[in-house]
Structure formats: structure tokens, C-alpha cells
Amino acid sequence: MAFNKCWLILTITLCVIGIGYSGDDHDHHDDDHGHHDDHGHDQLLSQNFYQKTCPRAVETIRKAVDDVVSQEPRMGASLLRLHFHDCFVQANDTPTFTGEKNSFPNKDSLRGFEVIDSIKSQLEDMCPSVVSCADILALAARDAVFALKGPRWEVQLGRRDSTTASLSESNTDLPAPSFNLSGLITAFQKKNFNIQEMVTLSGGHTIGRVRCTFFRDRIYNESNIDPSFAEAMRALCPSEDGNGDDNLAPFDSITPDTFDNAFYQNLVNQRGIVHSDQQLYANGAGITDSQVIMYSRNFGRFKKDFGDAMVKMSLLSPLTGNDGQIRTNCRLVNN
């Protein structure tokens, strides 16, 4: 669908080639001795793929991400979401090419392109036409989550960039903030994720912001919402369509710029800001309620499960070998 034909989730979704989750994230260095799974394309991927062709690539990406996230923590969530929606590589329209940037889930909401542009420019100066945009995005998302105190998973490298895009897939396959639980389950199952993994990946909303237009209906018309929370959000989001549509509120009102388990604590307290998030918890009566409660009490478990789920997502049909291309400009397919 985009950089590397991976999908992506909720108001975030992905395309990384990760493998083997590294527990407590005490270090900031890649382990070049990780195992390799024999999953077809995976055999062409490795953590040290650029060791000889662009040895400073991983370090360059990490430093750039650390710098931008330290200046603007919200950018960490934006980079994760870019990776998830994986539409950056095919995002822009041209006179002869229809990208995915203007699909309904992406229009006026994706950001961080300039960060990827800057990283790509540095790497092109360093080692031209070597490092793919798909790999840049995968590493940037991982490093952004880690910079916000989240898990750190190992990223397999060597993927190539897609030469196609699908506006229709972007419109139909990305779960919407208005989805009910059944719709979320169906959307994730379509990508081979079970219900448990859907709940886990939804936890990416522990960071980031959402536009008023996506939570207006919930704060004015739904009953399964904490009254004081609804009142506070109404101050940010007027009831009339077109009035304050772009005003922002954090997905997680407790610690909006820290990757933790407060997202699930909010759901238990009926303080999920978008309809689809609150669908994960129904006052103890829903099929996903027990997992939400567990995560709300156990960050370590959520942290590990999120890393594992990102690894699984990263193994969705990577382009390798002679497939695809190495884009010189991440916004456009090569001429």
C-alpha cells in the first residue's frame, strides 16, 4: 500500500521489519547478533544490512529522531503514525500519480514528512540510493517510541520502497475513529491480527493528539463518558461543525507525551476521547475489558506485548531483493 506494502492501524498503523523484542530497553544500540527467521523475504533482511554500505545510517536516524522529539514530543507520535499508515512513500499526488496522503484517514492529519525528508537528505549525502524510505520510517518510529519511554523492538533492515499506492485501500482498510468494536475486530482480522493484538496496538494512542472533528460526536452525544472529562473536552471543541474542527486534544489526557499505560487507565475511567478507543472497554461487560484492565495495571506487560505486536506487523509482505526501488525522494516514486 505504501513504502513497503504494509498496512497500519487505527489512527496509527505500520510497516517495520522488526524481529525479536529486546526486553527492558536498557541500551540504545542495535544487537547485530540477533536471530533471523526463515519467513521467505526475511532471509534477505538483517539488522546489520547497512553495516558495509552505509554504516552510520542507523545512528544518523536515531540521532535525528532524538533531537526532534526532545524539541517537540508530539512529533514522536507523528512519526509512529506515519510508520503505521505507511503512506509517506506514496503520499503525494502528481499529475500522473495518485497517492494516499489525501485519503480520509490521512487528510490534514499526517505530519512529520519534513523530518523524514531531512533524514533522507542526510543519508543521500552520506550514501546515495542505499537506504530505503521504508527502513527510515521503520527505524524512526521505533526510535520515537523509545524516546518517549516506550518499548524498543529490533528492526530488520533491507526492505525496499513500493512503486505503487492505493487511495482506495487507504480509505477502506484503515480503521476509523467512529468504528464500533465489531468493526475494529474485522479490520484487524483482515490483516491477520487477533482481538488481543488489536487491543495491544490500539495502545499506540497513549501518545499523540486528535482533531476536534474526530471526537466532537462522542463528547456531545455519548453517555459512556465521564461527565467532567466531556465538559473539559467541550471547552476545546465547540459543538458546531466547522467551528474549531482542527483544535487538538491529547488521546491520553494524563501523560500525553509519555508512552505508558495511562491510555488504558483512561478507558477504565470512561475517558477515552474517540469512540473507537472507548469501544475497547464496556464497564466490565465487553470481551476486551479484561485485557484493558490488565494493561491499566501492568505497564510491563503492555510494553512487551506492544513490541511483539509491532514485530508481527513488521513482517507483513516486505519488498526485498530486486522488488520495488530505493527512492531518492521519499514523497515521490523515482522517475
Side-chain angles (χ1 to χ4, degrees):
M1 160 185 150
F3 277 150
N4 213 357
K5 293 285 186 183
C6 290
W7 174 54
L8 246 318
I9 70 170
L10 249 87
T11 9
I12 59 174
T13 337
L14 124 121
C15 191
V16 352
I17 288 308
I19 209 146
Y21 170 64
S22 57
D24 294 325
D25 311 319
H26 292 306
D27 69 275
H28 223 80
H29 305 283
D30 285 290
D31 173 10
D32 287 333
H33 303 289
H35 69 280
H36 302 276
D37 286 359
D38 292 326
H39 290 298
H41 283 289
D42 299 14
Q43 297 176 38
L44 300 175
L45 301 166
S46 68
Q47 292 174 52
N48 58 356
F49 186 85
Y50 298 112
Q51 188 170 19
K52 293 182 179 178
T53 56
C54 196
R56 291 169 52 206
V58 173
E59 173 191 358
T60 298
I61 294 168
R62 181 169 54 233
K63 184 180 186 306
V65 170
D66 284 350
D67 287 348
V68 74
V69 172
S70 68
Q71 295 170 23
E72 184 193 355
R74 182 189 170 204
M75 187 56 72
S78 299
L79 292 173
L80 176 60
R81 187 165 184 251
L82 266 184
H83 178 46
F84 284 152
H85 284 237
D86 190 19
C87 67
F88 177 85
V89 176
Q90 311 156 307
N92 286 8
D93 293 341
T94 71
T96 58
F97 185 86
T98 301
E100 296 165 351
K101 189 175 182 178
N102 289 311
S103 69
F104 174 72
N106 296 331
K107 187 174 177 61
D108 300 326
S109 65
L110 286 177
R111 59 196 295 276
F113 301 110
E114 69 283 355
V115 177
I116 303 300
D117 284 343
S118 174
I119 293 172
K120 180 62 173 174
S121 178
Q122 291 181 60
L123 293 176
E124 284 299 301
D125 289 343
M126 197 180 296
C127 26
S129 300
V130 171
V131 182
S132 71
C133 297
D135 281 344
I136 293 172
L137 204 55
L139 287 167
R142 186 273 306 273
D143 293 341
V145 168
F146 189 65
L148 295 176
K149 305 188 187 311
R152 182 177 181 278
W153 53 94
E154 294 174 0
V155 178
Q156 296 287 92
L157 302 170
R159 292 172 305 134
R160 292 166 65 83
D161 300 322
S162 174
T163 57
T164 61
S166 174
L167 181 65
S168 63
E169 273 190 38
S170 184
N171 277 321
T172 60
D173 285 14
L174 294 172
S178 60
F179 273 22
N180 290 326
L181 183 61
S182 59
L184 291 173
I185 291 171
T186 298
F188 278 79
Q189 285 180 338
K190 185 176 179 181
K191 303 300 176 182
N192 199 33
F193 291 106
N194 60 35
I195 294 174
Q196 290 73 27
E197 290 162 337
M198 180 270 290
V199 175
T200 301
L201 289 169
S202 297
H205 280 175
T206 192
I207 53 177
R209 307 294 192 275
V210 60
R211 294 164 62 215
C212 160
T213 189
F214 290 120
F215 64 86
R216 175 182 284 121
D217 188 62
R218 170 157 167 75
I219 62 174
Y220 285 100
N221 299 315
E222 297 187 7
S223 59
N224 62 337
I225 186 168
D226 175 75
S228 62
F229 176 69
E231 182 179 358
M233 292 303 101
R234 288 171 188 164
L236 292 172
C237 184
S239 59
E240 305 82 13
D241 286 347
N243 187 4
D245 285 1
D246 294 333
N247 292 351
L248 297 172
F251 278 107
D252 166 14
S253 57
I254 301 175
T255 50
D257 296 318
T258 301
F259 196 100
D260 55 18
N261 61 336
F263 169 77
Y264 298 101
Q265 296 169 11
N266 288 330
L267 298 185
V268 172
N269 292 317
Q270 295 192 320
R271 296 168 73 90
I273 192 162
V274 295
H275 176 83
S276 58
D277 284 349
Q278 193 59 55
Q279 287 287 294
L280 302 177
Y281 184 78
N283 294 328
I287 60 173
T288 58
D289 284 22
S290 61
Q291 186 178 354
V292 169
I293 292 171
M294 176 186 66
Y295 283 161
S296 75
R297 298 171 178 171
N298 189 338
F299 174 49
R301 177 64 184 274
F302 166 55
K303 187 178 178 182
K304 182 186 185 305
D305 289 353
F306 189 84
D308 289 344
M310 291 293 285
V311 167
K312 177 176 177 177
M313 190 183 288
S314 75
L315 298 176
L316 296 175
S317 306
L319 295 175
T320 58
N322 294 318
D323 295 337
Q325 62 182 215
I326 303 297
R327 292 192 182 184
T328 55
N329 178 343
C330 289
R331 296 175 185 250
L332 305 168
V333 173
N334 295 341
N335 292 330

